Amino acid sequence: MTGRASDKALKPSAIVVNPGTHPEPRALAIGLSRHGYRVAYFTGSQFDGRSTTGKMLKLISQSAYDARVLPPSFCEEIEVRTKGFALELIFQLLSRVKSGWSKRLMVTRSRYVSARAAAYVRALSTPPKYVVSQQTAGARVFMCSGESTRVLMQPIASQRWLEGELAKEASRNPSWSHALQGLDRDREQLADMAIEMQLADVFIAGSHLVRRSLEADGLGPTIVQHYGVDDRVQRAPVMRRPEIDDSPIRLLFVGQVNQRKGISYLLEAMRQLEGLATLKIVGRGSDLTLRSILSLGLKNVSLTGPFSTERVLVEYQKSHLLVLPSLAEGFSLVVPEAMSTGLPCIVSEHAGSHEIVTHGRDGFVVPIADSAAIVSCVHEIRRRPDLLAQMSEAAARKGRTLTWDRFGEAAAYELVTER
């Protein structure tokens, strides 16, 4: 599938490989296009709505279509090549039934899209200036792109750093080690990641936390640009935070429910805050992790499962604070999303997105694995009822500056002018 028909015969100056639906490669593709590069965009999960695939999926499921269709403006500007979309459909089906094969199929999809992009590169008489890949999909296309600048988009800290942090946590808190996530990649995927990281000429990351983890492995240089906020969230109205009164403060957690997100430390904080705060946990977790949470019997904690973007927006607007005590991240997108609606955040210093939070002004930054620090932040809000309104206004101002257009333009500018 392609974008503008007139561009079909032109050799692209840049190739962007994004097997999934990550927003950052798409934003960079637009940024490169606006800097004068012809861009071919290889994806396994997204499509031009005018294509046969798009029309068929729309008949099957409007929600699936809405989640994967590329904007018409993108398809007019970028040459879109969707490869292996059947694998994406099977992956989504297996994910819903919690099949153990879903993760393996995701790896297969990434390899297939990368291989098709590699074949495209080999067929070009003139190599593209840039070959860009999302993490885990770069090995095959990078191996045939020796004359191009190979750019790896790295959304999370390096595997070595991640493994080290999670090993520390397993030792520190063994009773929750079953809920750690991030050590479950198979050997073939780890081998692919090692190849793409060694071949990459430049990395693009959403935080300096990721940059430092790469530098510790002798990798770089790394362009750092904080990630953006979904357009649907940006368009949502900024809501005045509910006033603090004698009722409990409403806390919100949004994301994968596992120990890498520091969930046990948040639950311990809620035990100490019984009667003073409630917590709503929105997200998907393993059956074992969810049973562990329920076994604690915390009456001020509720589990909802995953919500749509629209329902998450409602929760942002109803809550007083978002809490994300992550132990190891890259740049958590829920933080700028929440901030853009005026919801201040309590984030750990390993969330990546803590870099956009100014402690005491538009949110709080706390150490990792520190329940007492979370409790202290809630008490601070309780002691100073005016603080929440001030933080809410400051958070909204900052969050509204974090758009994907800004990310794509800034990352592309630094790439083409300094690399």
Side-chain angles (χ1 to χ4, degrees), residues 240-251:
R240 181 177 175 82
R241 290 304 102 194
E243 293 185 2
I244 300 294
D245 51 27
D246 292 334
S247 60
I249 291 176
R250 293 191 285 277
L251 306 181

Side-chain angles (χ1 to χ4, degrees), residues 272-283:
Q272 298 177 38
L273 289 167
E274 187 170 359
L276 298 176
T278 62
L279 170 67
K280 184 175 288 188
I281 298 175
V282 177

Side-chain angles (χ1 to χ4, degrees), residues 239-277:
M239 300 295 289
R240 181 177 175 82
R241 290 304 102 194
E243 293 185 2
I244 300 294
D245 51 27
D246 292 334
S247 60
I249 291 176
R250 293 191 285 277
L251 306 181
L252 178 68
F253 172 95
V254 178
Q256 297 177 33
V257 184
N258 59 53
Q259 188 60 1
R260 184 169 67 83
K261 300 284 187 177
I263 194 68
S264 77
Y265 299 102
L266 178 52
L267 294 170
E268 170 57 24
M270 295 312 298
R271 186 188 66 79
Q272 298 177 38
L273 289 167
E274 187 170 359
L276 298 176

Side-chain angles (χ1 to χ4, degrees), residues 88-138:
E88 168 67 14
L89 296 179
I90 298 170
F91 166 70
Q92 292 298 327
L93 176 63
L94 293 177
S95 297
R96 291 180 183 182
V97 298
K98 296 187 176 181
S99 167
W101 284 95
S102 60
K103 186 171 293 184
R104 180 64 185 174
L105 192 65
M106 183 173 64
V107 174
T108 301
R109 180 198 63 187
S110 294
R111 288 179 173 167
Y112 181 77
V113 175
S114 183
R116 294 301 297 268
Y120 187 81
V121 170
R122 285 193 296 267
L124 295 174
S125 58
T126 303
K129 172 64 176 174
Y130 299 107
V131 173
V132 181
S133 177
Q134 183 69 5
Q135 183 197 34
T136 74

Side-chain angles (χ1 to χ4, degrees), residues 22 38 66 75 118 183 190 193 315 324 339 374 398 403:
H22 288 271
R38 296 185 302 275
D66 291 341
C75 299
L183 301 177
L190 290 172
M193 291 169 62
E315 296 302 327
L324 187 69
M339 291 175 70
I374 298 171
K398 186 176 289 182
T403 66

